[in-house]
Amino acid sequence: MSTEDCRIIQLPRISDARGSLSFVEGGQHIPFDIERIYYLYDIPGGAARGAHAHKALQQLIVPIAGSFEVVLDDGRSQRKFFLDRPDQGLYVCPMMWRELGNFSAGAVCMVLASRKYEESDYFREYDTFLKVAIGEK
């Protein structure tokens, strides 16, 4: 996998005078079935999140409120994404080191995941990730 396999996905948006609604259907709007949903909030100024990679997990990262940046690294190249629209999500494929930062005040980050939590799916050390990521290509 490379950073080019990761992309912004436009989610359906229904708007009228009462406001807007967006939704996600696993296997329909995103290339995986949803097994887990979690969200980050009350993030202190200057805090960073992520700093890990997954061996098999796929994710969609959605800025439910506010904004933040996501830097993706495949071991050979990096791409930075600025997320600030709740009707768009960033698809993150497996074997992608990710770092989230520059959260605005009140930001809420929702993550849809293709698998339940499994510690064995994580790379927590960048050097270990690099050895595997570069070796797999």
Side-chain angles (χ1 to χ4, degrees):
M1 296 282 166
S2 82
T3 57
E4 295 304 314
D5 297 310
C6 302
R7 64 192 182 282
I8 297 292
I9 293 177
Q10 182 65 48
L11 302 173
R13 178 183 178 137
I14 301 168
S15 297
D16 64 23
R18 301 168 297 166
S20 297
L21 177 145
S22 288
F23 58 95
V24 181
E25 294 176 353
Q28 176 71 25
H29 303 113
I30 56 177
F32 59 86
D33 290 327
I34 301 164
E35 288 288 323
R36 180 169 51 116
I37 300 171
Y38 63 94
Y39 41 96
L40 311 171
Y41 58 97
D42 290 342
I43 303 160
R49 300 296 307 243
H52 64 267
H54 293 280
K55 298 171 187 172
L57 184 83
Q58 301 173 73
Q59 295 179 316
L60 185 73
I61 301 174
V62 182
I64 297 299
S67 63
F68 50 91
E69 292 178 347
V70 180
V71 177
L72 300 179
D73 180 339
D74 63 13
R76 287 190 158 71
S77 65
Q78 290 186 350
R79 286 179 71 192
K80 184 186 288 189
F81 296 86
F82 179 73
L83 302 179
D84 67 346
R85 294 182 50 186
D87 64 340
Q88 292 183 340
L90 174 60
Y91 169 68
V92 181
C93 58
M95 292 302 295
M96 205 60 47
W97 189 266
R98 80 279 325 274
E99 296 187 13
L100 288 72
N102 292 326
F103 289 90
S104 67
V108 178
C109 169
M110 180 178 70
V111 181
L112 310 178
S114 66
R115 301 171 67 138
K116 292 180 173 52
Y117 175 81
E118 243 182 287
E119 183 59 34
S120 63
D121 186 58
Y122 282 75
F123 287 103
R124 301 267 186 201
E125 300 295 327
Y126 184 70
D127 290 341
T128 304
F129 163 74
L130 268 185
K131 288 176 187 170
V132 174
I134 293 173
E136 78 168 8
K137 298 193 178 198

